Amino acid sequence: MTAPRAGLGAVPQADGSTRFRFWAPALDGVTLELGDGRTQALKPDPQGLFEHRFARCPAGTAYRYRLPDSTAVPDPASRAQADDVHGDSLVVDPGAYAWKHDQWRGRPWSQTVIYELHPGLCGGFKGVAGELPRLAELGITAIELMPVADFPGRRNWGYDGVLPYAPDRAYGAPDDLRALVDEAHGLGLMVFLDVVYNHFGPDGNYLNAYAPAFFRDDVQTPWGAAIDFRRPQVRAFFTENALHWIEEYRIDGLRFDAVHAIHDPDWLQQTARAIRASAQAAGRFVHLVLENDDNRAELLRPTSEGAHYDAQWNDDAHHALHVLLTGEREGYYAAYADAPARHLARCLSEGFAYQGETFEPSGHARGTRSADLPPAAFVMFLQNHDQVGNRAFGDRLSVLCREPEALRAATALLLLAPSIPLLFMGEPWGSRTPFLYFTDHTDAKLAGLVREGRRREFARFRAFADPATRERIPDPNEPATFERSRADALEDDVGARIHADELRHLLRVRREHVVPGIDGCVSLGARAIGDAAVCARWRLGDGRVLTLAANFGEEPITLDPSPAGALVHSTRIAQAHAAPAGDAVPLPAFCCAAWIA
């Protein structure tokens, strides 16, 4: 039996007993109740920690904590729930699963091609496992699961989770998640998990009833009071949660959601150190990725103590590309609409487009200097759950893009640049179904607040100025909203097969020509060519030079001088061709081409 690292929760012991730990600093007493009828009144230590061991308490035993006011609450460190977030927690033995691919140690970061997916829309953990062979055959090397932490109801994006240690029952049991990870490893795929440490959801979070010290009273976030990472108990709760996924489920990497809402950056470095130490001890590759609207490059720089993150989602690159592909200029796209090609060129060359300049939507300086970071310190994407699902109607680029050939060019740029690419579920097959925001709140009042709040947030956009138009925005709580978000299967669609064949080819080109030189890769500069085209160059780690040129405009452009080397890919091969060194070369409209010298 393998004991988990986490200090809180129900932990099976080697002697067959189970140790329960519950931090409730606001209470003088609490009662632990087991599903078999046994109870135990508990007293806290000076730090507010309640602890007890029960003999004969095997995996599957239900339990709850009874507060002095008679409220029954689940374990905040529950490893599984018997039903939903308001019900009993279950004892879980993390060592009971027999791993088939026990020798798996992961893959280097340079080989990473991420496919982000929603487990619920894929049929839960078992359904995701069934998708893995198709993804591996395409050339995907990692899947990224949107958050799985227990949330209210059976449908949710996952960002309303309230029990961070418990995989949601709607997706499967804890061992179903382990089996998914095991199956992925057998196919050579890494598994990343999106984790949310910046807030708890509004339904099923009982922390204020027994541990209000978990939250600050002086800092607010978009979701309410900020979590108080100044407290060692709070820091440990989340650091050990990260280790829980990596050690007990053998997850290969974590994506930390919206860390700009974590008001103690030192905790991020502390957690990175703990994870690096764990991975080193196990001889594993474990990768750490941030979403950080603050664009803090220092979190991405390696330190002697390993207190850094491998990469950050590059929203700047997405926003510039989105403007080029769709012409949209409202909301945060306004900050890129003045010169989208120039912003994109800076992203390709230096990482962030904003490195301390004023970001107009906020009126404040945004970002820090990132030009010294390698390209692989940035995850680039054309679509993800946020950039599709946060739209009123969940529109994908396959619907929004003004010119299909421009989207082909952007996909080539994404997959052949030496940054780390991410594809969203359905994207490899050109899915046109929406990905909408969905919930399953049983409280009618809360469901109504979510519905009206979602519609109200779009009022500032011209297209939704009319209240009648806003009424058409899908109700997140309606089951049909969830069902409409399933990506088309498209196995028998000719266009989808052609789309997948091209993506498969691009990933083969990436694997053969780009991946061997990602480690040690440095930018040689990038420039905008007119209003809608860019050209970027990198010296790969093995000494070769990669040149990418992409034209998202309606008119051809001229590359002068022509890029050196062999043309290894072009989305319009019949027109984009190699030219003698030094001569000008035409780059057609809506085209991306790559040269290796």
Side-chain angles (χ1 to χ4, degrees):
M1 178 182 296
T2 302
R5 286 278 303 262
L8 296 178
V11 180
Q13 303 296 300
D15 63 2
S17 66
T18 297
R19 186 209 69 206
F20 296 84
R21 280 184 179 166
F22 179 63
W23 188 57
L27 303 181
D28 294 325
V30 67
T31 300
L32 170 60
E33 301 178 346
L34 300 187
D36 61 11
R38 287 182 287 170
T39 65
Q40 178 65 48
L42 307 178
K43 295 294 182 183
D45 70 7
Q47 283 73 46
L49 184 68
F50 295 82
E51 181 174 342
H52 183 73
R53 287 196 187 201
F54 264 119
R56 305 183 314 280
C57 197
T61 299
Y63 69 99
R64 68 194 72 83
Y65 292 102
R66 184 75 61 181
L67 307 187
D69 66 359
S70 297
T71 303
V73 300
D75 188 343
S78 168
R79 301 320 197 264
Q81 288 296 101
D83 184 18
D84 204 357
V85 296
H86 299 286
D88 287 353
S89 302
L90 298 175
V91 176
V92 172
D93 180 1
Y97 180 81
W99 292 89
K100 294 183 296 184
H101 303 286
D102 198 50
Q103 300 306 308
W104 171 263
R105 294 294 178 266
R107 300 181 68 148
W109 180 240
S110 60
Q111 296 178 9
T112 305
V113 177
I114 303 170
Y115 182 84
E116 186 194 19
L117 60 87
H118 184 279
L121 291 172
C122 295
F125 299 136
K126 291 180 180 179
V128 174
E131 293 287 312
L132 297 180
R134 181 164 70 154
L135 297 175
E137 188 275 332
L138 271 180
I140 302 296
T141 64
I143 62 168
E144 180 176 316
L145 306 176
M146 289 176 65
V148 303
D150 211 331
F151 51 76
R154 299 187 59 81
R155 306 179 303 275
N156 198 285
W157 268 23
Y159 299 90
D160 287 331
V162 293
L163 299 173
Y165 287 79
D168 196 276
R169 186 178 176 84
Y171 299 162
D175 278 357
D176 292 330
L177 176 54
R178 292 186 176 91
L180 164 60
V181 175
D182 206 4
E183 184 70 19
H185 291 170
L187 293 167
L189 290 166
M190 297 179 285
V191 179
F192 289 10
L193 179 63
D194 198 343
V195 291
V196 182
Y197 298 150
N198 51 63
H199 76 286
F200 292 87
D203 186 7
N205 172 22
Y206 291 91
L207 283 164
N208 273 310
Y210 54 82
F214 219 93
F215 302 97
R216 298 179 64 154
D217 58 11
D218 60 336
V219 178
Q220 292 289 310
T221 75
W223 308 283
I227 294 171
D228 194 350
F229 281 90
R230 299 171 300 180
R231 295 186 181 275
Q233 296 90 344
V234 174
R235 295 166 77 95
F237 181 84
F238 289 111
T239 297
E240 292 182 349
N241 181 261
L243 292 167
H244 158 81
W245 296 117
I246 289 165
E247 297 179 352
E248 295 184 28
Y249 288 88
R250 305 194 182 184
I251 295 291
D252 300 282
L254 300 174
R255 180 259 191 191
F256 291 70
D257 177 70
V259 300
H260 49 271
I262 295 175
H263 294 272
D264 192 341
D266 179 61
W267 174 81
L268 290 168
Q269 295 167 319
Q270 171 190 321
T271 297
R273 280 194 297 271
I275 294 171
R276 299 292 181 201
S278 173
Q280 184 176 18
R284 295 175 56 194
F285 290 104
V286 174
H287 307 301
L288 305 177
V289 181
L290 297 173
E291 179 196 24
N292 188 359
D293 196 55
D294 289 342
N295 282 2
R296 289 188 55 217
E298 53 268 32
L299 291 170
L300 306 175
R301 292 192 178 96
T303 69
S304 59
E305 299 176 315
H308 76 287
Y309 291 76
D310 294 273
Q312 179 181 310
W313 276 24
N314 197 341
D315 283 334
D316 282 353
H318 167 272
H319 298 345
L321 277 162
H322 191 90
V323 172
L324 288 165
L325 293 172
T326 69
E328 291 185 356
R329 292 168 174 263
E330 287 190 275
Y332 44 61
Y333 295 128
Y336 304 84
D338 60 328
R342 176 172 58 80
H343 287 301
L344 176 59
R346 193 179 197 194
C347 289
L348 293 171
S349 177
E350 301 182 16
F352 298 138
Y354 283 85
Q355 300 179 30
E357 295 84 0
T358 298
F359 189 65
E360 288 304 331
S362 68
H364 301 295
R366 174 168 175 253
T368 59
R369 183 177 175 274
S370 60
D372 61 307
L373 293 172
F378 302 91
V379 175
M380 194 159 73
F381 43 83
L382 305 180
Q383 303 178 90
N384 61 38
H385 74 273
D386 271 332
Q387 306 304 339
V388 179
N390 282 336
R391 302 181 65 85
F393 297 107
D395 317 288
R396 294 173 179 265
L397 279 177
S398 54
V399 175
L400 293 171
C401 191
R402 295 177 295 184
E403 170 55 57
E405 288 297 318
L407 183 54
R408 287 183 66 212
T411 302
L413 179 70
L414 168 73
L415 296 180
L416 297 183
S419 49
I420 301 300
L422 178 144
L423 298 160
F424 186 54
M425 60 185 299
E427 189 175 354
W429 295 273
S431 174
R432 296 177 66 84
T433 56
F435 178 74
L436 299 160
Y437 179 67
F438 46 81
T439 57
D440 184 23
H441 295 302
T442 56
D443 183 317
K445 181 178 180 180
L446 178 58
L449 289 172
V450 171
R451 179 183 62 250
E452 296 311 313
R454 175 132 177 105
R455 290 172 177 172
R456 189 166 50 251
E457 72 179 88
F458 289 101
R460 59 195 173 95
F461 294 96
R462 287 192 300 272
F464 297 98
D466 183 352
T469 304
R470 295 200 295 275
E471 288 296 313
R472 294 176 47 235
I473 297 173
D475 182 349
N477 223 51
E478 283 293 327
T481 303
F482 173 80
E483 293 299 333
R484 287 178 59 202
S485 300
R486 296 186 190 275
D488 347 49
L490 297 175
E491 286 91 345
D492 301 321
D493 185 273
V494 173
R497 289 201 299 271
I498 293 172
H499 201 99
D501 285 344
E502 180 162 0
L503 188 133
R504 186 182 295 106
H505 170 72
L506 280 165
L507 289 178
R508 186 180 306 119
V509 173
R510 178 182 181 85
R511 197 162 54 245
E512 294 175 359
H513 294 286
V514 181
V515 170
I518 286 180
D519 288 337
C521 176
V522 296
S523 172
L524 297 177
R527 69 187 193 278
I529 307 170
D531 295 332
V534 295
C535 183
R537 299 171 66 242
W538 299 269
R539 185 174 303 282
L540 298 174
D542 54 13
R544 296 172 300 139
V545 173
L546 166 67
T547 301
L548 286 177
N551 181 10
F552 303 104
E554 298 178 353
E555 300 296 330
I557 62 168
T558 299
L559 295 176
D560 188 8
S562 67
L567 180 71
V568 295
H569 181 79
S570 171
T571 57
R572 307 186 76 178
I573 293 174
Q575 299 175 59
H577 56 274
D583 290 355
V585 60
L587 191 68
F590 312 124
C591 177
C592 179
W595 293 261
I596 293 282

